[in-house]
Amino acid sequence: MKFSEYNQSDITKKIESGHKLVKDDFDENTLFFEGDHYQDGNGWSGALPFDSKNRTSTLAKIQALFTSQNVISEVVERMNSAVLGKDPEWNIHLKRALKEEEKPTDKEQEVIDETEQLMNEWWNTYDIHGELIKYLNFVALGSKAVLRIYVPSSFAKDNVIASGDFQEQLAKIRVEAISVDKATVYTDRALGESAGMLSYKEEDDNLVAEICYVDDKGKTILKTFTDNKENESDPFNLDGNLLMYQTDVNLFVTLQVRQLQKAVNKAYTMMNSNLDNGFLERIFLNAEPPGTWTTDESGKQTFVPDNLELGANMTNFISGAVLTDSEGKETITKPSVVFREPVSNESFITAKETAYEGILEQVHQKHSLISGDASPSGESRIQALVDFMKSCDPFKSAMDKAGKWLIETVMYLAFDLANEESKIEEYTADFMCRLDVGHLPAEMRNQIIKEYESGFLSRETAMSMLGVDDVDAEISRIDSATMEVKEILGIMNDSRIMPKTVVIELFQKLVEDKSILSALVDGEKKTALEGELESILVSKQQEDTLLSQLGV
């Protein structure tokens, strides 16, 4: 069946089918991420009675004591921060390939500059960066999510969007991240085509469904169904793009991560329970409690026990209990006391730390555990950081593709609505997330440089770890500067122009033999020259180090 033949029921079924594949993982991960770790008892991994009555009472007690640490939220936000912590870089450029040293024409450059400026304002006004962060969270929790580009219905009258220039049309466009329980991008393998689908309820509880697909002419069609009433927009020229985009990656918060999260919570809950038993217990054996004997009107004596007074400077006398045998003979027992010390939390603390470390290992974030520990070697810290960066690559790559689609499609939609379709054939966009592993202490930065100089890290990896955003561009600049330095030094050498060497050697002689300087000048001039000599020698050492790093 072609996408043009889909109705509201077909759309709902496709969304439900897509959600079913990840429902269990996404639903449970979302509860953990948002802070509901008890989950009506499903979040408790400890033993429970088989009897339903005892199970209910036990769960009630566990719920009262339940204590959690949201490690899942921590690791998801750390990964998200590494991929999207910095504002991504994006730019508009020509589709046609430029020849070497060829530049866009003045008119083309004017369009590029104006489009980038207006889209940058749009990006900031509607917090598109924040929406991408939300989108990546959905991806991490369910392995897939959908980005949707749309124009609010308030800007359309009778399903027609009012005319306007590029800036005016751009201001009408919105972006939202949608979880997989509400939307999907379905690919029909038989047709070799894809369609974006969305289903949601309006404030008045009307069920709305949307489908967007590309028709035979390459135009994007958007159909909306409200209570099975169909509305179709005019075709959009989006260069073959849909108005929805779906990311699919391997699941970040896996079953193993959830199991370890439950173990962390169990250890905390057991510690909390243990606090209730954290007071010293005393058990008196064969002892008569303190108290007094009273006699009632009939002459019968009754023993009335008192509370045992405890605390500083208190003295108590405990006597043995009086036992009467069958013959009426009384004996006094020998009293004793048994103490039960509070149970140590050490085993629970160890269990919690082991489970926490297990989560970090599962998601390749062990660098955060050892960053504050002095015991691991510098090499192990670097290796853990490299491991974390590599684990972020699939998410960075996915967001780079999603971002490119986003910038291009929004730009094309605004061009189309502004009747500037010719520009759609001329311009495209690039998008790049800037990987950021967070603040690195000075000793770790030095260790990274040391690992690079020793050949254990590539130049690209070391630069990325040190926070260089566009590694390829930076390497190109460094290599270009290195070639210039080599060319200049080569010309000087060929021409036997070496004033630097002569001057440096002369100053070295002056520093080694201060009597030469004393013979030339004295007083304040001598002190000033000595300071300049030292400054020049320091500069030479810095230059030599730089030239060595550049390979000169």
Side-chain angles (χ1 to χ4, degrees):
M1 182 170 61
K2 293 184 177 181
F3 292 128
S4 59
E5 300 171 357
Y6 273 50
N7 58 32
Q8 188 163 353
S9 176
D10 296 323
I11 295 171
T12 303
K13 288 178 181 178
K14 290 299 182 186
I15 294 173
E16 290 175 350
S17 177
H19 179 220
K20 185 177 180 181
L21 297 174
V22 297
K23 175 178 172 55
D24 292 341
D25 289 319
F26 177 75
D27 292 354
E28 190 173 356
N29 287 342
T30 300
L31 291 174
F32 275 119
F33 181 76
E34 293 178 348
D36 181 4
H37 285 227
Y38 185 67
Q39 299 172 19
D40 294 328
N42 294 320
W44 174 251
S45 61
L48 290 171
F50 288 104
D51 178 74
S52 60
K53 182 178 180 180
N54 290 332
R55 174 183 285 259
T56 301
S57 61
T58 301
L59 280 173
K61 181 179 180 181
I62 290 172
Q63 184 175 10
L65 294 169
F66 190 80
T67 310
S68 63
Q69 176 185 355
N70 202 339
V71 188
I72 284 179
S73 175
E74 173 191 331
V75 297
V76 169
E77 290 176 356
R78 184 178 293 119
M79 181 276 290
N80 199 317
S81 179
V83 177
L84 288 171
K86 293 182 178 179
D87 270 328
E89 289 187 346
W90 54 269
N91 64 81
I92 311 299
H93 61 89
L94 291 168
K95 283 185 178 179
R96 63 181 176 85
L98 297 175
K99 298 178 182 179
E100 188 175 355
E101 297 185 0
E102 182 187 4
K103 296 181 179 180
T105 65
D106 292 343
K107 185 176 180 180
E108 290 171 338
Q109 190 60 51
E110 182 180 348
V111 172
I112 290 173
D113 293 342
E114 182 181 3
T115 304
E116 284 186 344
Q117 178 185 348
L118 293 175
M119 290 202 64
N120 189 58
E121 293 174 359
W122 167 84
W123 175 281
N124 294 326
T125 299
Y126 299 108
D127 189 21
I128 307 303
H129 185 199
E131 204 64 30
L132 289 180
I133 291 174
K134 179 181 177 182
Y135 178 66
L136 184 53
N137 281 340
F138 283 150
V139 172
L141 298 174
S143 80
K144 58 177 66 177
V146 172
L147 272 177
R148 174 195 179 212
I149 295 172
Y150 70 103
V151 175
S153 58
S154 59
F155 292 110
K157 184 177 181 181
D158 297 328
N159 210 36
V160 176
I161 300 172
S163 60
D165 60 21
F166 178 83
Q167 182 176 6
E168 291 171 332
Q169 301 295 23
L170 183 63
K172 300 173 184 176
I173 299 173
R174 304 289 187 272
V175 177
E176 69 172 333
I178 309 175
S179 55
V180 291
D181 57 331
K182 298 181 179 66
T184 189
V185 175
Y186 170 71
T187 300
D188 189 319
R189 294 186 179 181
L191 296 175
E193 298 173 357
S194 299
M197 304 180 195
L198 169 69
S199 179
Y200 63 95
K201 279 189 176 183
E202 294 182 322
E203 293 181 359
D204 56 4
D205 285 338
N206 286 333
L207 184 63
V208 178
E210 289 184 6
I211 182 171
C212 63
Y213 58 91
V214 178
D215 66 12
D216 296 337
K217 297 179 181 179
K219 297 297 181 69
T220 302
I221 305 298
L222 175 64
K223 284 186 178 182
T224 303
F225 299 85
T226 304
D227 289 338
N228 290 312
K229 294 180 181 179
E230 178 181 333
N231 288 305
E232 182 175 326
S233 69
D234 291 333
F236 298 111
N237 182 2
L238 304 180
D239 200 29
N241 288 349
L242 297 174
L243 288 166
M244 296 185 202
Y245 182 91
Q246 180 169 293
T247 291
D248 292 85
V249 296
N250 291 332
L251 189 64
F252 181 75
V253 182
T254 61
L255 171 64
Q256 289 73 26
V257 172
R258 293 197 298 271
Q259 289 172 337
L260 288 166
Q261 173 69 78
K262 291 179 180 180
V264 169
N265 296 343
K266 180 181 177 181
Y268 269 116
T269 303
M270 295 303 294
M271 278 193 283
N272 194 10
S273 175
N274 192 47
L275 292 176
D276 289 345
N277 301 314
F279 297 99
L280 178 68
E281 289 187 1
R282 306 168 185 83
I283 301 175
F284 291 91
L285 303 175
N286 298 323
E288 191 77 37
T292 57
W293 288 91
T294 61
T295 303
D296 59 16
E297 295 178 356
S298 63
K300 181 180 178 180
Q301 288 188 323
T302 304
F303 182 76
V304 180
D306 290 335
N307 291 326
L308 184 65
E309 301 273 348
L310 298 174
N313 295 323
M314 293 301 301
T315 302
N316 288 284
F317 297 91
I318 305 297
S319 60
V322 177
L323 299 180
T324 305
D325 60 17
S326 58
E327 298 178 355
K329 184 179 180 181
E330 293 184 345
T331 58
I332 299 177
T333 61
K334 182 179 180 181
S336 62
V337 62
V338 177
F339 294 94
R340 189 189 73 82
E341 298 288 346
V343 177
S344 171
N345 276 331
E346 184 175 350
S347 61
F348 304 131
I349 294 173
T350 301
K352 174 263 173 186
E353 291 175 348
T354 302
Y356 178 76
E357 182 176 349
I359 294 176
L360 297 183
E361 287 183 0
Q362 285 287 322
V363 298
H364 307 281
Q365 295 183 12
K366 200 172 179 182
H367 71 289
S368 64
L369 182 68
I370 64 178
S371 61
D373 190 347
S375 59
S377 66
E379 184 176 348
S380 66
R381 293 184 181 186
I382 299 302
Q383 186 56 50
L385 189 58
V386 170
D387 187 39
F388 173 55
M389 292 177 61
K390 288 182 178 179
S391 73
C392 290
D393 282 344
F395 296 98
K396 179 185 181 302
S397 177
M399 293 307 299
D400 286 346
K401 294 175 183 177
K404 177 178 173 62
W405 165 85
L406 173 64
I407 297 298
E408 281 186 348
T409 308
V410 169
M411 177 175 66
Y412 294 158
L413 180 57
F415 280 146
D416 182 83
L417 295 175
N419 295 316
E420 299 180 21
E421 289 189 55
S422 61
K423 294 180 180 179
I424 297 173
E425 307 301 323
E426 298 179 37
Y427 300 95
T428 184
D430 284 331
F431 187 98
M432 184 187 72
C433 295
R434 302 187 293 165
L435 198 62
D436 180 19
V437 296
H439 173 72
L440 298 179
E443 61 270 18
M444 183 172 282
R445 298 179 68 87
N446 292 334
Q447 183 65 30
I448 291 171
I449 296 172
K450 182 179 178 181
E451 295 285 320
Y452 161 65
E453 292 175 344
S454 302
F456 295 113
L457 286 178
S458 68
R459 180 163 62 162
E460 291 83 354
T461 300
M463 292 174 70
S464 181
M465 295 171 72
L466 291 172
V468 176
D469 294 325
D470 192 340
V471 173
D472 292 337
E474 190 66 22
I475 288 176
S476 177
R477 283 192 288 268
I478 292 174
D479 289 344
S480 176
T482 301
M483 291 302 299
E484 289 181 9
V485 172
K486 286 183 177 180
E487 288 177 6
I488 293 172
L489 291 178
I491 294 171
M492 292 178 66
N493 184 62
D494 294 341
S495 305
R496 299 186 180 278
I497 301 174
M498 294 179 288
K500 176 181 176 181
T501 303
V502 175
V503 172
I504 291 297
E505 287 185 358
L506 174 60
F507 275 105
Q508 284 178 331
K509 290 290 185 183
L510 291 173
V511 170
E512 292 170 0
D513 189 352
K514 296 292 180 65
S515 62
I516 299 176
L517 190 62
S518 300
L520 296 174
V521 293
D522 57 7
E524 293 182 358
K525 288 185 177 181
K526 176 184 174 184
T527 302
L529 283 174
E530 286 178 342
E532 291 179 10
L533 291 177
E534 292 296 332
S535 176
I536 290 173
L537 289 175
V538 170
S539 297
K540 179 182 181 303
Q541 292 173 352
Q542 294 175 342
E543 290 173 6
D544 289 343
T545 301
L546 175 61
L547 292 173
S548 176
Q549 292 177 346
L550 292 173
V552 179

